[in-house]
Amino acid sequence: SKGEENYVQALDALWHRAKAMGFTKFFIVRVGYWGSDSVFDIMRAQERFCQMTPDAFIITRVASFMAWVSEDGNREFRPDSNPEFAFCRDSFYGFENQHINQKGFEVIAKYAVPNMIRVLFQNTAPVLEEEAIPLLK
């Protein structure tokens, strides 16, 4: 809720601390939707941070493709109709939270791991999924 620029600065501060501890790469699984449009500022900040920071990479955007439906059913976020991204949150199985579940983490890994291999072992850039969120295109 503090805005895109604040989030970019926070990522930069975190990266400087991680580098001081010996980390050489910064990988981001781009955040998914969490019930508030302010999350789009975070998504934009993550994208911008990786564009302007050497050795920082978004390794997948699929978390932001996963459907989110409010507990009362009045608000939906379904950026992608691909069934692969359906039912990736606990709420779809009767739990009272929107956490990403095992299926969701398996989907994230399916897209993230090949990009980690590209960056770490092939010295190439990640191949990201086409943007599915209209506000970010």
Side-chain angles (χ1 to χ4, degrees):
S1 64
K2 295 181 180 180
E4 179 180 339
E5 188 58 38
N6 185 58
Y7 197 81
V8 170
Q9 291 173 7
L11 285 171
D12 189 56
L14 175 61
W15 179 221
H16 279 84
R17 289 182 182 130
K19 284 195 301 188
M21 293 188 295
F23 286 87
T24 60
K25 305 285 187 229
F26 190 112
F27 289 159
I28 294 176
V29 172
R30 196 175 78 186
V31 70
Y33 187 76
W34 289 98
S36 169
D37 291 351
S38 65
V39 76
F40 299 129
D41 285 340
I42 296 171
M43 291 176 188
R44 281 190 289 272
Q46 290 175 327
E47 294 277 350
R48 188 159 55 104
F49 173 76
C50 289
Q51 289 169 359
M52 62 188 234
T53 307
D55 296 322
F57 305 89
I58 291 187
I59 54 173
T60 184
R61 293 179 176 138
V62 297
S64 60
F65 295 6
M66 295 175 182
W68 182 94
V69 179
S70 65
E71 291 177 27
D72 60 11
N74 289 329
R75 184 169 174 139
E76 293 186 354
F77 180 77
R78 298 177 192 267
D80 194 307
S81 61
N82 184 334
E84 180 178 26
F85 305 128
F87 306 109
C88 290
R89 295 181 187 263
D90 287 347
S91 57
F92 290 99
Y93 294 97
F95 296 97
E96 292 184 13
N97 69 70
Q98 297 286 342
H99 297 138
I100 294 173
N101 59 29
Q102 179 177 338
K103 179 191 179 211
F105 283 115
E106 289 172 359
V107 169
I108 289 169
K110 174 184 169 185
Y111 288 86
V113 170
N115 281 324
M116 294 169 71
I117 291 168
R118 286 180 184 99
V119 171
L120 294 173
F121 300 109
Q122 299 170 349
N123 293 318
T124 59
V127 177
L128 294 176
E129 309 80 30
E130 184 177 333
E131 185 60 68
I133 299 173
L135 292 173
L136 300 178
K137 288 184 180 181

